[in-house]
Amino acid sequence: MRHILTADQFDLDLTTKLFAEADKAYETLTKGGTGAAVDPKLAGRIMYRLFYEASTRTYESFGFAATHLGMSVLGTQSVQFSSVSKGETLEDTIRMISGYDPSLIVLRSATAGDALRAAEISSVPVVNAGDGKGEHPTQSLLDLYTMHRELGRTENLHIVLGGDMANGRTARSLVKILSKYPGNRFTFVAPPTFEMGEDILAELDAKHIPCEQTTDVMEALKTADVAYWTRIQKERVSAEQTAYLEANPSAGETFSIGKAQISVMPEHARLMHPLPRVGEIKTEVDSDPRAIYFTQARYGMFVRMALIKYVLEEI
Ligand code: NCD
């Protein structure tokens, strides 16, 4: 079964195939509008979304992607009203849901490793839509696709990742996927206590991929091809991180991007964000042509259309 559990799964052949399919979906929908991308082979098949953490983009773009392909979409976004609130285990829920014969299950949960646990039980493919502090492989795929479309390449890039590197799964998966391409280098700009995890740093070191850590936002942005900003993951911060934020109330401002920060970025560079943003990118930069986070979110739907076809073995 084609489970999607980690960004490590995406090799160059697969991303090339998925991006070609995403390009096709983009053209078809942009030219033909709603209904144009319906695939008779997928009509009547069912995608089930099991979301145990807050989501707007991932939940909805998966829903739109499947609907544009002609599939039916079911699911829940509520832990409160599911049997989990009565103490049901993830394993039991997945065993039961997969028994209703969906074609795939898209899972978001609060604990790293949950997607793998689900895949071990499920009788249908499981797609990891974010597992706690773990990974967010489909986000990294759409982030990579955004670079492919906006910069024309996914290699020989200087990627500056800023914000909560410790708790942000999008940054972790993005580093993994970009590490597959030659010539990429990374700079991590995180407030103290929010630095990138040792496991990712060790992976980069083992692959001899250059990476730096700094707290100097301006200096890092000057040579960025991509600036990828993220919010503090307040639902996951540790006691030490909370203490840091309380002792440094200006940290949010120090690590935010406004007009002064974007103006030092090269003209060709792009400012990305998985969203939601909560102040770390100011609305004053939204009209700058380098700010592409809403386009990035839109690309996510086309990438997920391609990914659904891949998971269902239609491509
Ligand atoms: C991200 C996530 O859930 O990890 N959101 C998303 O899927 N676009 C980022 C975040 O919540 O900060």
Side-chain angles (χ1 to χ4, degrees), residues 128-249:
N128 180 1
D131 60 337
K133 281 202 254 185
E135 281 212 50
H136 197 344
T138 70
Q139 177 72 40
S140 70
L141 199 61
L142 82 87
D143 294 339
L144 192 75
Y145 182 67
T146 302
M147 294 175 205
H148 156 78
R149 288 201 66 114
E150 295 287 318
L151 290 157
R153 69 180 201 278
T154 52
E155 56 195 34
N156 298 317
L157 296 169
H158 177 207
I159 305 100
V160 178
L161 293 104
D164 187 351
M165 298 293 105
N167 303 304
R169 56 199 173 199
T170 63
R172 295 170 57 78
S173 287
L174 184 56
V175 171
K176 281 176 182 267
I177 205 166
L178 281 166
S179 300
K180 311 256 176 171
Y181 292 82
N184 288 332
R185 68 185 179 97
F186 300 96
T187 301
F188 302 124
V189 191
T193 73
F194 289 91
E195 290 93 355
M196 180 55 91
E198 289 297 331
D199 57 337
I200 296 284
L201 298 178
E203 267 184 46
L204 291 173
D205 192 44
K207 293 179 184 158
H208 306 291
I209 296 171
C211 105
E212 279 175 44
Q213 299 200 73
T214 179
T215 51
D216 190 337
V217 176
M218 287 293 208
E219 201 48 42
L221 291 178
K222 281 180 193 162
T223 55
D225 297 304
V226 175
Y228 188 93
W229 240 241
T230 63
R231 72 180 170 95
I232 298 289
Q233 307 277 300
K234 66 176 186 334
E235 64 275 44
R236 283 185 250 288
V237 293
S238 65
E240 189 198 7
Q241 290 163 339
T242 305
Y244 174 81
L245 292 176
E246 279 168 10
N248 297 275

